[in-house]
Amino acid sequence: EIVLTQSPGTLSLSPGERATLSCRASQSVSSNYLAWSQQKPGQAPRLLIYGASSRATGIPDRFSGSGSGTDFTLTISRLEPEDFTMYYCQLYDGSQWTFGQGTKVEIK
Amino acid sequence: QVQLVQSGAEVKKPGASVKVSCRASGYTFTNFYLHWVRQAPGQGLEWMGIMNPTGGTPTYGQKLHGRVTMTSDTSTSTVYMELSSLRSEDTAVYYCARDCGGAGSCSHAFDHWGQGTLVTVSS
C-alpha cells in the first residue's frame, strides 16, 4: 500500500503570501493520478487539481500543482482569506485510492 | 447541475448496521463510478470503496473489507453504502463522491461530492 505523507502539518502564513504544500509518496507513482482537494470546516472536499497539475473547473489560477515520482507540490501564489483551510492530496494507484493526512493553512 | 444528495444523520448502537444512500442527478448515472469516503471527527479522509453503478463487484478498501457493502439502484439513480458490526470508531461523516473517469477526463479524481451523512455509534 502506498502511503502519502503531507508536510507541513500546519502552515502559518499571512494573506497575500505564497503557500507551498508538499505531498510525498512512499514509492514512485504516476503523476496522472495525483490530485489535491480543499476542505472547509463543515463542508465536503472540493477538487482543486488533478493529474498533478491540471486545475479543476472553476478553480482560480492562483492554485497550481507540480511534481513527479514521489514528490508533489500544491502552490497557492497569493493567499486569499478564503484559502485558509485544510488541503489533502489523493492518489489512485491502479486499484485503490489513498489520501494524505492533510495540511492546515492558518492565518499567522 | 450535478448533485449528490445523501440521506440524513443516523445514531446507531454498537453491533448494529447502518445504510446510507446517495441519490445522483444532473448527469447520466450509469456513466460514472461512485466512491464512498469517511471522515472521523477532527480527522482526515479515508477511502472506503468504489462501485460501478450499473452493477458488478465493488472494490473495497482493505480496512473495512468484510463489513462494508455497496449497492446501486439504477431506477432511482441511487447508490447505497451499508456498514455492519458498528463500533464507536465508525463514528464519522460518510461522503459519496463521483469519480470523474480515466484518461481524457480528470484522471480518477473526485469531481463532485455529496453533502455528507453523520453516523454516530454510541451505546
Side-chain angles (χ1 to χ4, degrees):
Chain A
E1 179 184 340
I2 299 175
V3 175
L4 298 178
T5 301
Q6 293 188 238
S7 62
T10 301
L11 190 55
S12 298
L13 294 167
S14 300
E17 289 194 295
R18 182 184 189 90
T20 302
L21 288 67
S22 173
C23 176
R24 176 164 290 178
S26 57
Q27 63 190 75
S28 185
V29 300
S30 169
S31 61
N32 289 337
Y33 301 122
L34 193 287
W36 290 91
S37 294
Q38 176 193 67
Q39 187 180 32
K40 297 182 178 180
Q43 297 184 18
R46 176 176 71 145
L47 179 64
L48 297 176
I49 300 288
Y50 63 91
S53 60
S54 297
R55 272 188 300 278
T57 303
I59 301 304
D61 61 6
R62 64 179 183 273
F63 291 93
S64 63
S66 62
S68 63
T70 59
D71 292 310
F72 298 88
T73 300
L74 174 69
T75 301
I76 311 171
S77 59
R78 294 173 309 279
L79 284 164
E80 297 287 339
E82 62 267 29
D83 300 335
F84 291 90
T85 191
M86 285 294 295
Y87 294 86
Y88 294 94
C89 60
Q90 173 192 330
L91 175 71
Y92 170 54
D93 69 5
S95 62
Q96 304 267 308
W97 280 258
T98 305
F99 291 94
Q101 83 280 16
T103 290
K104 180 180 181 180
V105 178
E106 67 174 21
I107 298 177
K108 187 174 182 180
Chain B
Q1 75 280 21
V2 174
Q3 281 195 305
L4 299 173
V5 179
Q6 299 183 220
S7 50
E10 302 263 12
V11 179
K12 296 291 183 181
K13 293 191 182 303
S17 296
V18 68
K19 192 170 186 177
V20 179
S21 67
C22 168
R23 182 163 187 163
S25 62
Y27 71 98
T28 303
F29 177 66
T30 52
N31 284 358
F32 295 86
Y33 285 42
L34 283 158
H35 299 264
W36 288 92
V37 175
R38 71 178 183 177
Q39 186 171 38
Q43 303 300 308
L45 302 168
E46 178 186 0
W47 180 74
M48 300 177 66
I50 181 175
M51 72 167 305
N52 180 343
T54 64
T57 303
T59 298
Y60 300 127
Q62 295 172 354
K63 183 177 177 182
L64 293 172
H65 202 284
R67 291 203 297 135
V68 64
T69 303
M70 297 175 187
T71 57
S72 72
D73 181 347
T74 55
S75 69
T76 60
S77 299
T78 302
V79 293
Y80 300 90
M81 185 284 300
E82 184 170 18
L83 188 61
S84 62
S85 303
L86 289 168
R87 312 156 183 165
S88 58
E89 53 264 39
D90 293 320
T91 294
V93 176
Y94 290 76
Y95 294 102
C96 59
R98 193 181 80 161
D99 187 306
C100 58
S105 61
C106 70
S107 302
H108 293 300
F110 303 173
D111 63 348
H112 293 277
W113 294 69
Q115 83 277 18
T117 297
L118 176 62
V119 174
T120 303
V121 183
S122 174
S123 55

